[in-house]
Amino acid sequence: MTDKSEDRNEEKSTKGSTGGVQSVDRAVSVLEILAQHGEAGVTEIAEELNVHKSTAFRLLGVLENRGLVAQEQERGKYYLGAGVLRLAGAAAARLDISQEGAPVCRDLAGEVGETANIAVLDDDAAVNIMQARGSSSVTAQNWLGRRTPLHATSSGKTLLAHQPKSVRESVLSRKLPRITERTVTVAGELRSQLEAVKENGFAVAIDELEIGLHAVAAPVRAHDGDVIGAISVSGPSYRLADENLQEVVKCTMAAAQELSRRMGYRY
């Protein structure tokens, strides 16, 4: 008796679970239909799902209560709601820039033959979280994990340039340490450089962190356009000068755009 009773309970549970899965599948299908068509009425959705209108209406009601769909009052058609944007934003925010950036960083390093890095903002510094070395940089130092000053590095300038004005001014109001004779320590000069970075789409640092070290960087954007990182190339001045530097700028900007696309940004 006990075994038969348990079998019946398991059968009921399985059927209930199957029905629940089917409802979820249909609800997702409703979202996909609206994503494809932009908007649709109950009749159209019911036909595409091959279900009764009452079933389609019930599914739409649940999705509407959750904010995933909304209805035009005049025509009665449904469209994707703001809740979908919240879910999409949360998913995009979880994309790991270091994971997504690894192949981009490697390709950039291979293309230019120098060291490529991906950096993110960490309070008042830029921290390198990904590094790849090109064929010419076998003896280059390891930048991975290093905190570097915002005002003396191409990545730092890139990140700082795209922060809110209050954040930029907070940094500019502090004393800017002189690291080399080429380091920018005057707030007005750095402010002008940051404006140029935003306008041109890249930053350079020439002998500012180390004499003989040149670097360029470009911004990496998230799905909403916010700058969440910077990808850079650095190398000795005799290899990154004049025409070579301009070519590296182009490659770096292209890599930044590719990584931004991987992070959900659409140009």
Side-chain angles (χ1 to χ4, degrees), residues 1-12:
M1 290 292 291
T2 302
D3 291 341
K4 291 182 179 179
S5 177
E6 289 179 352
D7 289 342
R8 283 196 298 270
N9 289 336
E10 184 177 354
E11 183 179 354
K12 288 180 182 179

Side-chain angles (χ1 to χ4, degrees), residues 67-242:
L68 298 176
V69 305
Q71 185 181 22
E72 291 185 357
Q73 296 302 320
E74 293 183 2
R75 296 189 298 159
K77 289 185 177 289
Y78 290 85
Y79 57 92
L80 293 177
V84 173
L85 296 177
R86 290 194 297 272
L87 293 177
R94 292 183 64 84
L95 288 175
D96 188 346
I97 186 174
S98 61
Q99 179 179 343
E100 293 294 327
V104 179
C105 200
R106 286 195 298 267
D107 289 347
L108 178 59
E111 184 177 11
V112 300
E114 303 293 347
T115 301
N117 280 282
I118 297 174
V120 296
L121 187 67
D122 183 24
D123 194 18
D124 59 349
V127 177
N128 293 294
I129 60 172
M130 174 60 59
Q131 178 174 279
R133 293 179 177 177
S135 57
S136 300
S137 60
V138 290
T139 59
Q141 59 180 296
N142 184 14
W143 296 97
L144 193 62
R146 281 187 57 177
R147 287 172 56 86
T148 55
L150 298 176
H151 70 293
T153 60
S154 59
S155 291
K157 292 179 186 179
T158 298
L159 293 168
L160 184 57
H162 293 89
Q163 294 306 302
K165 183 177 180 180
S166 59
V167 176
R168 295 198 307 271
E169 291 302 320
S170 175
V171 173
L172 292 170
S173 67
R174 309 170 196 166
K175 182 178 180 180
L176 301 173
R178 183 178 298 280
I179 303 171
T180 75
E181 61 186 23
R182 296 291 301 274
T183 305
V184 177
T185 58
V186 179
E189 184 180 350
L190 182 56
R191 187 179 290 109
S192 297
Q193 285 193 8
L194 297 180
E195 289 301 323
V197 170
K198 292 183 67 176
E199 182 177 346
N200 298 329
F202 68 92
V204 298
I206 306 298
D207 300 321
E208 296 174 49
L209 184 65
E210 293 180 10
I211 296 297
L213 179 68
H214 291 186
V216 303
V220 177
R221 299 181 183 275
H223 71 285
D224 56 3
D226 287 347
V227 171
I228 56 174
I231 188 166
S232 68
V233 169
S234 60
S237 57
Y238 65 87
R239 288 202 302 260
L240 293 184
D242 303 326

Side-chain angles (χ1 to χ4, degrees), residues 15-42:
K15 287 181 179 180
S17 177
T18 302
V21 170
Q22 185 180 50
S23 295
V24 171
D25 182 68
R26 286 173 174 172
V28 172
S29 296
V30 170
L31 297 177
E32 291 175 339
I33 291 169
L34 295 179
Q36 180 179 0
H37 298 298
E39 60 178 26
V42 177

Side-chain angles (χ1 to χ4, degrees), residues 49-80:
L49 292 178
N50 195 27
V51 298
H52 194 274
K53 284 179 61 176
S54 62
T55 300
F57 187 77
R58 185 168 60 252
L59 290 169
L60 287 163
V62 172
L63 292 171
E64 187 174 18
N65 287 337
R66 294 284 184 167
L68 298 176
V69 305
Q71 185 181 22
E72 291 185 357
Q73 296 302 320
E74 293 183 2
R75 296 189 298 159
K77 289 185 177 289
Y78 290 85
Y79 57 92
L80 293 177

